[in-house]
Amino acid sequence: MKIALLGYGKMGHEVEKAALAQGHEIVVTIDNEQEWNERIDLLKKADVAIEFSQPDMAFANINRCFDLHLPIVVGTTAWYDRLDEVKRRCLDEGQSLFYAPNFSIGMNLVFRMNQQLAKFAEQYGYAMKVAETHHIHKLDKPSGTAAKLANDILAESSRYRQWSIEGDCPADTLPIEVTREGEVFGIHSITASSPADRITLTHEAFSRVGLAQGALAAARFLLGKKGCFTMDDLF
Ligand SMILES: NC(=O)c1ccc[n+]([C@@H]2O[C@H](COP(=O)([O-])OP(=O)(O)OC[C@H]3O[C@@H](n4cnc5c(N)ncnc54)[C@H](O)[C@@H]3O)[C@@H](O)[C@H]2O)c1
């Protein structure tokens, strides 16, 4: 694949390393607004764009790719308040979009286990909690991954009406505990507790390699397809 990297920070570099190792080509990297002005023509040489930038930039970057009819894989999180708008344009215009709050295969397995645990907790009256720990440079909180875990629990629950990161939550609010420390790649835990016992699911990423490889698998999947896809479609 000829790949354009939008966002050339920690994940951009990791995707580049994995892409080159798999024999793909990076035709352009764009890491700020000035580079958008200088390098936009190089995007026309790409088969697909892979976007890991900032929460406040993802929406504009997606639209720029749509303007060029360039398929785009979006890893950036915390822009999903605009997801409906993006999906509408994608479907109306026959564009190609893949988005995921977490590209790791292991974490996506935990998403499925979490959905099952949430059903079980609802049936047997367990209280639930989500916790996430990431490196101190992370801009958004909670992580997109923790937000998905929490939303999937809310979808099964009659006890919880919303989630919160504030601590001391009222009974109808699912707590998400957020920790920022050192260079932690990402730890997510889901706990279901009853007076009799506790069940915990934990996923810990040891590096960003699995995320980069997942994003490349998503790009390969997206080529030649029109529409809006997620990891469920890839699996
Ligand atoms: N979906 C996943 O699996 C996954 C995994 C890791 C990180 N993330 C998310 O991806 C995003 C990036 O993470 P990171 O760790 O690489 O962050 P980072 O801060 O290391 O890199 C982000 C880069 O985006 C650049 N940037 C800023 N404005 C831009 C613009 N207009 N166009 C292009 N690039 C621009 C910045 O200069 C920076 O280098 C975050 O939102 C993070 O939460 C998602």
Side-chain angles (χ1 to χ4, degrees):
M1 292 182 287
K2 291 186 185 344
I3 298 172
L5 292 178
L6 309 181
Y8 195 43
K10 292 183 281 300
M11 278 306 298
H13 280 85
E14 199 70 42
V15 172
E16 178 181 55
K17 224 187 306 167
L20 296 177
Q22 292 180 18
H24 303 301
E25 191 185 335
I26 306 299
V27 292
V28 62
T29 63
I30 296 183
D31 197 49
N32 52 51
E33 288 304 301
Q34 193 186 333
E35 290 179 358
W36 268 109
N37 293 329
E38 292 165 0
R39 302 181 185 177
I40 192 158
D41 277 348
L42 290 169
L43 275 184
K44 293 175 188 150
K45 294 189 176 168
D47 301 316
V48 62
I50 300 183
E51 210 273 359
F52 283 95
S53 67
Q54 289 177 189
D56 56 344
M57 292 298 163
F59 180 72
N61 288 350
I62 294 166
N63 279 303
R64 284 159 160 161
C65 288
F66 283 178
D67 290 344
L68 297 168
H69 285 272
L70 178 64
I72 177 168
V73 173
V74 185
T76 305
T77 47
W79 59 272
Y80 298 139
D81 53 330
R82 312 208 69 175
L83 182 58
D84 286 345
E85 230 174 300
V86 165
K87 273 187 183 168
R88 212 172 311 123
R89 181 168 180 204
C90 178
L91 298 177
D92 285 353
E93 297 180 10
Q95 304 277 0
S96 310
L97 170 77
F98 194 117
Y99 70 96
N102 196 307
F103 282 103
S104 130
I105 303 289
M107 189 65 227
N108 279 274
L109 175 62
V110 173
F111 283 146
R112 289 173 181 215
M113 295 164 85
N114 176 55
Q115 286 162 356
Q116 259 192 299
L117 183 60
K119 280 195 178 84
F120 171 90
E122 169 68 6
Q123 190 176 352
Y124 293 99
Y126 280 62
M128 295 195 76
K129 192 179 92 179
V130 174
E132 61 111 328
T133 303
H134 277 91
H135 54 83
I136 52 171
H137 317 287
K138 188 164 177 59
L139 294 179
D140 53 322
K141 70 178 180 180
S143 67
T145 302
K148 174 171 169 51
L149 289 166
N151 287 331
D152 285 352
I153 293 169
L154 296 189
E156 299 296 339
S157 179
S158 56
R159 175 195 295 234
Y160 300 116
R161 301 167 69 82
Q162 66 267 316
W163 51 257
S164 169
I165 59 171
E166 296 307 329
D168 273 345
C169 291
D172 68 349
T173 302
L174 173 70
I176 304 181
E177 203 177 278
V178 176
T179 306
R180 295 286 170 264
E181 90 192 8
E183 298 298 330
V184 175
F185 293 113
I187 305 172
H188 292 90
S189 287
I190 311 101
T191 307
S193 309
S194 79
D197 59 1
R198 180 167 57 223
I199 303 158
T200 306
L201 292 176
T202 298
H203 178 270
E204 177 172 1
F206 297 146
S207 72
R208 296 185 176 88
V209 171
L211 301 166
Q213 288 173 341
L216 287 169
R220 269 197 307 274
F221 172 87
L222 188 60
L223 284 193
K225 295 190 179 68
K226 304 226 172 293
C228 187
F229 303 95
T230 68
M231 291 301 271
D232 283 339
D233 301 299
L234 178 62
F235 285 130

